[in-house]
Amino acid sequence: MLHLQSNFIFPPIKLGYASGDGRITQKHLEFYGERNKYIGAITAEPLYMDQGLRELPTQLGIDNDNKLAGLKLLNETLHQNGSKSIAHLNHPGRMANPKIPGNFFWSSTDNACENGGAAPKKMDRQMMNSVIELFVESAKRAVLSDFDIIELQFGHGYLMAQFISPAVNDRTDDYGGSFKNRIKFPIEVIKAVREVVNIPIIARISGDEMIPDGFHIEDMVKFSQLLENNGVAAIHVSAGTACSTPPWFFQHMFIPKGKTWDMAGKIKQKLNIPIIFVGKINSARDVHFIEDNYHAEYMAVGRALVADPDFVGKYYGKEHGLIRPCLACAEGCLGGVKSGQGLGCVVNPRVNTGLRKVIKDNITKNYAVVGGGLAGMQAAITLRDRGHLVDLYEKDKLGGQFNMAYLPPNKENMKEIVDYFIEEMKVHKPHKVNVIHQEATISRIKSGNYDAVIMATGAIPAIPPIKGLKKYYWTEFLEENQLPNSQKVLVIGGGLIGIEVASKLVDANNHVVIVEMLDEIARGMEMIEKAITVNKLKAMNAEIYVNYKVVEIDGDRVLIEGKKDMKTIENVDKIVVATGMNSYVPFNNVGSAPVYFIGDAQKVGKAQDAIHDAYALALNL
């Protein structure tokens, strides 16, 4: 048994904070050190067992004894408040990163992942023995490093799952074909590790690969029973495969919440060991639901603890305050890791930024914040938490342009951060933010006698000088009551806003034509959202023209120009212009009070930029 101090476990989220040598850094210690209170166990990020098996250049390693000192130091941090520590061991097989020099690729097959990657070598017995030895030696190092528990990865499309999956395993020997044969090698691995360590072992599995010819929950119930029979202490049930179904693997906002919980529940009915539930558990409501409906012993809460390090403490009532919500957008966490910057967070400005916690000031000042979007609200809350008086001016709806972010298909949960900020501004610390629903004129600001003014007035659409452009729309079609149906709509601009409007339009049976000056659409969109949305547009027969620009509009005829030719698009009913944004600054001088700019008013960017810049400014004024 695991015997943890609480039923919350932090899962193996990739951080990407190492410097390329696989060793622990101060960033690791600070990140985990903020999240080690009230939690039952913390799983460090996946530890590579060989330098040629890395998923990230900046991944942590357990491949050599020279890593032991750093891992022991990590465990000191993980253990500080009674949490136990988990070493997550995984062989990626054909899913090792092909962009990292020196990586090698083994699998149950010699076929590459259909979504890209290197062609692997089909493993022979000698290779299988080598893999078992890697697991065994790494498990021994985990014990020497003071880890309390080992977690073995049998899911998510990695090597063990490549043997289990009928969609991947095309072998004709004793390790292919039937379910009994396909699970032989994974069972050999668990037996070998079980023989050399005396600490608990968790098996992480995908309850379903979410592809038609992959393995499904019925297989995983049987496999989990075999794992239990071979000494596994708990089963951690996720879903998907990194190769074919990354939205399920990453539990992206585009996939439904609760599917993995159902899988875990079905396995729990057939086993006598604890089942760990996981998958977008990012509110107290989710925790209550899983406890009430599945009687879960343990829950893995990852990105919710990235967004709010005090999530568990707040759930237990031991820490005060509202829970800052994870949006499951993968923009800051997965996006930060993929970009090489390391894990960040859209909603939490302290992740991977070096920004300190808010400290209450001895002197109370009086500030004006102009604009109630994400940047304005974050600045107001931070200044309030420092003990200052804050007037926030917003003539329209709080949330600003982010009120459009949750209108595109499958993005409803983006509204949660707006709701959080609005509620947070009402909290007395010792006083609430004073929201003034009026336009912030120069005279009003001057009469307030403010110590400083923060401009968070956002941005306005940039409209190109197109001949004949008269009537056009911007984001109006994201609103259900303005959404046209069965019409031909031209979208000028294939960036984030244009593509999200186009996605909404095709759902209403409109024929969409997208014209983009650059060589790709959806530039800057989070990678999973981009792949899903672009594939959807193509499947819905949207016309997409890249490296073209609109040069003239004549009634329902639109002339577009490319590098080599010109085309005419006929019978256009409506036109959407989404060609970028310009900062909006209604005034920048209010007398003696200094004026600062944040968010889009300073530089047009993303929500993460707005929140982080606002926090940094308000922290240091």
Side-chain angles (χ1 to χ4, degrees):
M1 295 296 289
L2 301 182
H3 302 299
L4 307 182
Q5 67 177 359
S6 83
N7 63 344
F8 290 99
I9 294 172
F10 188 86
I13 290 179
K14 298 180 180 73
L15 301 186
Y17 291 165
S19 58
D21 59 3
R23 297 174 190 265
I24 296 297
T25 66
Q26 186 62 30
K27 273 190 178 182
H28 292 104
L29 303 181
E30 290 172 357
F31 177 85
Y32 291 120
E34 271 206 271
R35 292 162 177 82
N36 63 13
K37 289 190 287 187
Y38 314 114
I39 195 144
I42 297 177
T43 314
E45 76 168 9
L47 304 169
Y48 67 76
M49 301 186 293
D50 185 286
Q51 198 168 21
L53 296 174
R54 286 176 291 169
E55 293 183 79
L56 303 170
T58 51
Q59 189 175 351
L60 285 177
I62 197 168
D63 59 315
N64 193 291
D65 287 350
N66 63 16
K67 308 290 195 308
L68 295 179
L71 292 171
K72 283 185 176 182
L73 185 62
L74 172 65
N75 272 300
E76 288 179 16
T77 297
L78 300 183
H79 291 144
Q80 277 173 352
N81 290 294
S83 167
K84 291 191 175 179
S85 61
I86 303 174
H88 180 89
L89 306 182
N90 173 35
H91 193 303
R94 67 177 186 169
M95 299 309 295
N97 191 333
K99 296 180 181 179
I100 298 178
N103 267 3
F104 59 93
F105 313 91
W106 294 355
S107 184
S108 62
T109 179
D110 52 13
N111 293 319
C113 167
E114 62 272 16
N115 287 345
K121 292 182 179 179
K122 184 178 287 191
M123 292 169 62
D124 58 22
R125 185 65 250 182
Q126 184 176 353
M127 291 175 172
M128 294 164 78
N129 291 339
S130 175
V131 168
I132 291 173
E133 186 66 15
L134 274 181
F135 274 104
V136 165
E137 292 304 312
S138 299
K140 289 178 180 177
R141 288 192 193 98
V143 174
L144 291 173
S145 304
D146 300 328
F147 281 100
D148 304 294
I149 301 164
I150 290 171
E151 180 173 81
L152 302 179
Q153 175 65 278
F154 289 102
H156 285 164
Y158 294 121
L159 181 61
M160 296 298 105
Q162 289 160 29
F163 272 84
I164 300 169
S165 176
V168 181
N169 188 337
D170 57 1
R171 304 174 75 91
T172 57
D173 61 5
D174 290 345
Y175 294 91
S178 67
F179 172 76
K180 182 180 178 181
N181 283 356
R182 286 184 278 113
I183 64 169
K184 269 186 179 181
F185 182 51
I187 294 298
E188 288 178 7
V189 169
I190 189 67
K191 285 182 175 179
V193 174
R194 181 69 286 167
E195 286 179 5
V196 297
V197 300
N198 59 2
I199 61 176
I201 298 173
I202 296 171
R204 194 173 208 205
I205 67 170
S206 290
D208 194 304
E209 287 195 294
M210 309 308 291
I211 51 177
D213 52 352
F215 58 71
H216 304 296
I217 187 63
E218 297 79 14
D219 292 331
M220 288 297 99
V221 170
K222 291 187 289 184
F223 182 60
S224 298
Q225 289 171 327
L226 289 170
L227 291 171
E228 179 181 11
N229 293 339
N230 280 280
V232 166
I235 308 286
H236 186 174
V237 184
S238 185
T241 155
C243 169
S244 307
T245 52
W248 286 96
F249 172 18
F250 292 109
Q251 288 293 293
H252 190 265
M253 63 182 171
F254 274 34
I255 62 110
K257 178 182 286 193
K259 191 82 172 177
T260 51
W261 310 345
D262 286 339
M263 296 174 194
K266 289 176 181 175
I267 293 174
K268 187 177 188 299
Q269 292 173 2
K270 302 293 184 180
L271 270 68
N272 298 307
I273 55 175
I275 305 301
I276 302 168
F277 287 66
V278 73
K280 295 205 288 189
I281 304 171
N282 50 23
S283 71
R285 182 177 61 253
D286 295 335
V287 175
H288 289 310
F289 182 90
I290 294 170
E291 288 179 336
D292 293 344
N293 290 274
Y294 300 104
H295 308 291
E297 294 97 338
Y298 298 110
M299 280 168 274
V301 177
R303 287 176 298 173
L305 273 162
V306 176
D308 191 334
D310 294 322
F311 177 92
V312 174
K314 288 175 179 177
Y315 172 77
Y316 283 133
K318 295 180 179 180
E319 299 285 345
H320 299 294
L322 303 174
I323 292 174
R324 185 174 285 236
C326 167
L327 306 180
C329 62
E331 182 79 44
C333 47
L334 175 61
V337 170
K338 289 288 186 181
S339 69
Q341 298 173 33
L343 178 133
C345 182
V346 168
V347 302
N348 185 345
R350 294 195 57 245
V351 178
N352 196 21
T353 62
L355 294 171
R356 59 177 171 81
K357 285 185 176 181
V358 174
I359 301 172
K360 198 171 185 302
D361 290 348
N362 295 323
I363 301 173
T364 299
K365 293 185 177 182
N366 192 16
Y367 290 99
V369 176
V370 182
L374 297 186
M377 291 192 287
Q378 177 66 73
I381 290 164
T382 306
L383 289 168
R384 185 274 316 274
D385 289 351
R386 288 179 58 193
H388 300 304
L389 298 171
V390 184
D391 288 340
L392 184 145
Y393 291 85
E394 175 53 65
K395 64 178 180 178
D396 296 316
K397 189 177 179 181
L398 288 169
Q401 291 176 4
F402 205 74
N403 286 316
M404 296 179 295
Y406 51 80
L407 298 178
N410 304 309
K411 299 187 75 171
E412 298 84 1
N413 59 317
M414 302 292 274
K415 186 175 185 295
E416 292 178 10
I417 189 61
V418 175
D419 295 340
Y420 164 80
F421 277 136
I422 292 172
E423 290 304 309
E424 182 65 36
M425 288 196 298
K426 298 176 185 176
V427 176
H428 292 258
K429 289 186 177 180
H431 37 254
K432 65 180 182 179
V433 174
N434 181 34
V435 178
I436 301 172
H437 286 289
Q438 295 178 354
E439 183 177 359
T441 62
I442 293 177
S443 61
R444 281 197 179 109
I445 296 298
K446 283 185 175 180
S447 67
N449 294 316
Y450 297 111
D451 292 287
V453 178
I454 299 173
M455 298 294 289
T457 44
I460 55 176
I463 307 302
I466 298 172
K467 183 179 179 181
L469 177 63
K470 296 176 182 177
K471 185 175 182 180
Y472 57 88
Y473 300 85
W474 179 45
T475 58
E476 292 87 345
F477 296 157
L478 293 175
E479 300 279 359
E480 292 289 342
N481 60 356
Q482 297 195 56
L483 184 63
N485 185 279
S486 301
Q487 295 191 20
K488 188 171 185 177
V489 184
L490 176 76
V491 178
I492 305 175
L496 174 65
I497 293 175
I499 294 306
E500 290 191 331
V501 173
S503 177
K504 187 93 170 186
L505 284 164
V506 296
D507 284 349
N509 198 37
N510 293 288
H511 178 66
V512 174
V513 182
I514 301 167
V515 180
E516 167 57 50
M517 291 179 61
L518 300 176
D519 58 3
E520 66 170 332
I521 62 170
R523 186 185 293 261
M525 185 179 275
E526 184 275 319
M527 56 177 288
I528 294 177
E529 180 185 359
K530 177 178 179 177
I532 293 174
T533 306
V534 172
N535 288 338
K536 168 187 165 181
L537 290 171
K538 291 177 178 177
M540 301 289 278
N541 297 315
E543 294 181 55
I544 300 172
Y545 296 93
V546 295
N547 294 313
Y548 277 89
K549 64 179 180 179
V550 175
V551 293
E552 185 176 352
I553 298 169
D554 182 12
D556 65 355
R557 298 173 68 250
V558 178
L559 185 65
I560 66 174
E561 180 181 37
K563 293 179 179 178
K564 297 181 179 179
D565 65 349
M566 301 187 77
K567 297 179 185 292
T568 300
I569 300 169
E570 306 275 0
N571 304 315
V572 174
D573 296 303
K574 289 182 171 61
I575 294 174
V576 172
V577 178
T579 50
M581 307 287 288
N582 290 325
S583 295
Y584 174 63
V585 180
F587 54 85
N588 55 21
N589 191 321
V590 289
S592 60
V595 180
Y596 301 91
F597 301 88
I598 56 173
D600 285 351
Q602 179 189 39
K603 181 181 179 182
V604 176
K606 294 186 175 183
Q608 181 167 327
D609 303 318
I611 293 172
H612 289 207
D613 292 349
Y615 182 83
L617 175 70
L619 190 70
N620 295 304
L621 274 181

